Amino acid sequence: MLLAGSLLGLALAASAASAKGQLQARATLVELGVDSVAGRLVLGNTGDAPVSAQLRVFAWSQENGDDRLAPTTAIALSPPILQIAPGGEQVVRVVREGPAPSGRDQTYRIIVDELPDKSKPNAGTVSFRMRYVLPMYVRDAVAKPASLVCRIERQAATAALSCNNSGGRAAQLGASSLLDASGHKYELTPGLFGYVLPDSVRRWPIDAANLAKLGPTLRLETMLNGEALTIPIASAP
């Protein structure tokens, strides 16, 4: 069963019962290097009470322009359920059990959910559980760098930015804006915009009214894997 991309995000909060523990992921991504079969993820607790967490891993792909997560046995996490003492840390082993990548990086998402403290009553209270959704890559030795071609897609009153990555590594897009030939600017986001996976297409809805304020010749200014990049864009007929 595919799980929708609504699970994605770097750190999300969900309403639930929680102790005074403060769950933290000590990394923003996990990667296994070329020829590596194991790595690690470190979780911490900055609070003054124990905190429990559950970890799951999903294969990450993009279909019809959207993110998809699907259950996988290619990656194992140990331990999958844990408790961290106040001020403590827990190392989680990340082990590749499936075949090595071939020609492009393998892409996964690790989801870390804080578990509610069942010993604490929650009647009449509102608190929060943390969720971290971390990208994970199993690196391939011959994977080509990310290479993007982007265009604007228009349908009636809607519009979307579509980017195709023909490379073998994922493209992380940071702060991104559309600009026209006169320098008029439509800021898409000041922070993380999203990812285009290897040999995949990702589409993002954009505001048609803001897009209409720009001229026909556009470019995308973005941060691609941490480096500034300008990509010319053609509006689809």
Side-chain angles (χ1 to χ4, degrees):
M1 178 180 66
L2 292 179
L3 301 181
S6 59
L7 287 174
L8 302 184
L10 205 51
L12 307 177
S15 178
S18 168
K20 293 182 180 180
Q22 298 292 322
L23 178 67
Q24 287 191 348
R26 300 289 166 83
T28 57
L29 67 86
V30 177
E31 61 180 340
L32 300 186
V34 175
D35 298 328
S36 295
V37 295
R40 67 180 205 163
L41 168 65
V42 180
L43 301 177
N45 178 7
T46 60
D48 57 5
V51 63
S52 298
Q54 178 183 39
L55 294 92
R56 296 170 292 159
V57 61
F58 297 89
W60 180 21
S61 63
Q62 290 172 335
E63 299 178 12
N64 299 319
D66 290 324
D67 288 305
R68 293 289 184 267
L69 301 182
T72 183
T73 58
I75 301 295
L77 304 175
S78 179
I81 298 178
L82 51 87
Q83 184 177 75
I84 308 174
E89 289 187 341
Q90 172 72 53
V91 175
V92 178
R93 278 182 53 82
V94 182
V95 180
R96 175 174 62 80
E97 297 190 333
S102 177
R104 68 178 189 178
D105 292 349
Q106 295 172 350
T107 53
Y108 302 90
R109 284 281 193 169
I110 296 176
I111 299 180
V112 184
D113 282 312
E114 182 181 352
L115 298 176
D117 185 349
K118 296 181 179 179
S119 69
K120 302 292 184 179
N122 59 8
T125 65
V126 176
S127 53
F128 297 94
R129 280 189 292 140
M130 291 302 300
R131 164 174 284 186
Y132 293 92
V133 187
L134 307 174
M136 176 185 169
Y137 305 124
V138 180
R139 299 300 188 186
D140 179 76
V142 299
K144 295 180 181 179
S147 179
L148 294 185
V149 175
C150 299
R151 65 191 180 105
I152 298 295
E153 298 179 349
R154 305 176 193 263
Q155 290 185 350
T158 65
L161 173 65
S162 173
C163 290
N164 176 32
N165 179 9
S166 60
R169 295 189 182 275
Q172 182 200 62
L173 300 183
S176 300
S177 297
L178 290 171
L179 291 90
D180 64 15
S182 300
H184 299 117
K185 181 178 180 180
Y186 167 20
E187 184 180 66
L188 300 173
T189 177
L192 178 66
F193 190 52
Y195 297 82
V196 191
L197 299 185
D199 293 328
S200 299
V201 176
R202 182 69 168 91
R203 293 182 180 88
W204 293 272
I206 57 178
D207 187 88
N210 283 332
L211 184 62
K213 298 175 183 178
L214 302 180
T217 302
L218 300 174
R219 64 186 186 273
L220 174 68
E221 291 191 352
T222 188
M223 297 295 293
L224 173 61
N225 294 334
E227 296 186 5
L229 181 68
T230 298
I231 304 172
I233 294 180
S235 181

